[in-house]
Amino acid sequence: MRIITQQTLGGPEVLTIVDAPEPRPLPTEVLVRVKAIGLNPLEARLRAGEFPLIGQPPFILGWDISGVVGEAPRTWRFKPGDEVFGMPLFPRAANAYAEAVAAPALHLAHKPASLSHVQASALPVVGLTAWQGLVDLGGVREGDRVLVHGGGGGVGHVAIQIAKALGAHVITTADGSKREFVEGLGADEVIDYTAVDFAGAVRDIDVVLDTIGGDTTERSLDVLRPGGHLVTAAAEDDPQLIARYEAAGMRFSGIAVDPDPVALRGLVELVEEGRLRVHVQETFPFERAADAHRLLDAGHLQGKLVLTV
């Protein structure tokens, strides 16, 4: 079975479960029997036609998967029965809202034994976004002051932990109701954005990781130290904003997450060392994908949502 999204004539988007032929893995691919699927806000935007990475509905959503290898022709990386997780093919369609997914072996990693399939499926997109933003682009080092916007969300709650593992002093913006949650992840300072203007509450930041966009991205310029670095997953293609940062002597980097076997292994190491955990707010059975998307649409999540297969 697979879940497709389609637009009804003059009506709302719907998610429909359909029977479909099982995908066949190509050489260097493996067939994954999916146990759990992580949901991401991007998928709600795609479903609504707002951000047409893979065209207009109907199409099959999803990238984050965890499951068991069923077939592994001509690859030494995995064998049938291995438990794996990953974010295959992004931004091309991975068709991951399904019982079985054909995925490049390089886009998967062995699932850490300490994570359930539900937890593992929640990690790849947010974990790789945070890793690539902080490690690869941000170059965060021990002693840096890092500001993570939206620390209670999917990317944010993982980014706090990665920044702490790198030895940074971590400040985060979060709704006041999530203070205890983000402090438990290691945040050194928490700014309740519903009560305090972060731009007036913090200074001398080395790296800002932004997943919010809009006014938050623009005003983050004011909190950076000279030569500081904004890494954003929300405004990567804004030439005027980039020019403003560069004119002020700051660095500006936009990130669109990529499948990355090195970063995926880095996430696994942090999990195995007990320095990274992923929070799942709620799980839904495969048949209730529409209910999960209604909650996804509402926003203000704490961590991630997951479908179980």
Side-chain angles (χ1 to χ4, degrees):
M1 292 188 299
R2 295 189 170 201
I3 296 177
I4 67 169
T5 179
Q6 57 190 357
Q7 179 80 39
T8 56
L9 185 61
E13 304 88 2
V14 295
L15 293 171
T16 305
I17 295 179
V18 298
D19 289 321
E22 183 171 272
R24 301 299 301 174
L26 300 171
T28 74
E29 289 186 337
V30 300
L31 183 70
V32 180
R33 307 287 182 188
V34 178
K35 298 296 184 181
I37 306 157
L39 273 61
N40 296 283
L42 173 62
E43 290 150 30
R45 296 172 63 189
L46 285 168
R47 189 201 70 235
E50 175 189 343
F51 189 45
L53 274 177
I54 57 175
Q56 296 295 325
F59 47 60
I60 301 169
L61 290 169
W63 285 275
D64 276 343
I65 59 170
S66 183
V68 179
V69 174
E71 298 178 35
R74 298 169 65 182
T75 177
W76 53 266
R77 296 178 184 277
F78 304 104
K79 63 182 184 300
D82 285 349
E83 295 186 321
V84 297
F85 78 116
M87 181 195 74
L89 297 172
F90 189 89
R92 290 185 291 130
N95 301 331
Y97 284 22
E99 292 179 311
V101 171
L106 273 174
H107 295 180
L108 301 170
H110 289 280
K111 180 183 74 65
S114 61
L115 294 185
S116 66
H117 283 295
V118 166
Q119 293 167 323
S121 74
L123 181 57
V125 167
V126 297
L128 290 174
T129 301
W131 182 282
Q132 292 168 13
L134 294 172
V135 178
D136 298 332
L137 281 172
V140 173
R141 297 173 295 180
E142 186 172 357
D144 280 352
R145 287 169 56 81
V146 173
L147 173 61
V148 175
H149 284 303
V155 174
H157 89 286
V158 173
I160 289 171
Q161 298 172 81
I162 292 175
K164 288 300 296 182
L166 294 169
H169 178 89
V170 181
I171 305 161
T172 189
T173 59
D175 184 294
S177 64
K178 297 179 181 178
R179 174 178 291 275
E180 184 176 347
F181 173 62
V182 296
E183 287 179 339
L185 298 171
D188 298 291
E189 301 179 43
V190 182
I191 300 170
D192 180 356
Y193 67 83
T194 67
V196 177
D197 178 5
F198 76 88
V202 65
R203 284 289 184 273
D204 298 321
I205 297 298
D206 293 285
V207 178
V208 174
L209 182 66
D210 166 45
T211 63
I212 307 299
D215 183 60
T216 297
T217 310
E218 295 180 12
R219 293 190 301 119
S220 292
L221 177 62
D222 298 329
V223 307
L224 287 168
R225 65 161 177 79
H229 195 171
L230 174 92
V231 180
T232 179
E236 62 269 19
D237 296 322
D238 188 332
Q240 291 183 337
L241 193 56
I242 294 171
R244 280 187 57 203
Y245 271 78
E246 292 178 347
M250 309 298 183
R251 290 178 292 166
F252 183 108
S253 298
I255 181 172
V257 66
D258 295 318
D260 183 343
V262 175
L264 200 58
R265 288 196 297 271
L267 295 172
V268 169
E269 289 178 8
L270 289 182
V271 169
E272 291 176 337
E273 293 167 359
R275 295 196 287 174
L276 176 62
R277 59 187 173 89
V278 61
H279 178 78
V280 177
Q281 175 175 314
E282 192 169 348
T283 62
F284 294 82
F286 193 65
E287 295 79 8
R288 289 185 58 207
D291 292 331
H293 268 252
R294 292 186 186 99
L295 187 55
L296 194 65
D297 288 341
H300 302 289
L301 299 175
Q302 184 165 296
K304 293 289 296 289
L305 302 177
V306 170
L307 298 176
T308 56
V309 181

